[in-house]
Amino acid sequence: MSRKPSDVLGIDPSFRYTLTGFKVAAGIGDKLIAAAAKRGVELKRRRVGRRDYVHGADGIEYLDRLAELPQPICQ
C-alpha cells in the first residue's frame, strides 16, 4: 500500500526527507520557502549528489520559525 501525502501524520524528527518529501509532509511550497528566505528564515538543507535533504528536526525548527513571522508570509 502506497502512502499518500494525506496519510503522513507530521514530521518525524529522526527521519531525513528529500526536499520534495519535506514540502509534501509540511504542506508548504517553493513560494513560501522563497518568501521566508527573503525575511531571513532559511531552511537547512544538505546536498547529496543532485538531491537536497532536510533532517526532520531541522524541518520542525524551520516550521516553528515560520510561525513567528508576521502573516501573510507570501503576498
Side-chain angles (χ1 to χ4, degrees):
M1 181 170 128
S2 67
R3 289 176 44 166
K4 298 177 187 173
S6 60
D7 295 337
V8 178
L9 299 174
I11 297 170
D12 183 348
S14 64
F15 191 75
R16 190 167 307 270
Y17 296 85
T18 62
L19 179 58
T20 303
F22 173 74
K23 291 190 293 187
V24 169
I28 62 175
D30 292 330
K31 187 175 178 181
L32 178 67
I33 292 172
K38 287 182 181 179
R39 294 183 180 201
V41 178
E42 294 282 339
L43 176 60
K44 292 181 186 176
R45 311 173 198 194
R46 290 163 184 86
R47 188 171 257 328
V48 178
R50 291 191 222 170
R51 290 194 180 206
D52 285 332
Y53 291 89
V54 177
H55 192 270
D58 292 340
I60 292 170
E61 180 183 321
Y62 176 75
L63 294 174
D64 289 342
R65 286 183 285 145
L66 283 182
E68 295 171 359
L69 290 177
Q71 303 296 323
I73 298 170
C74 298
Q75 296 176 0

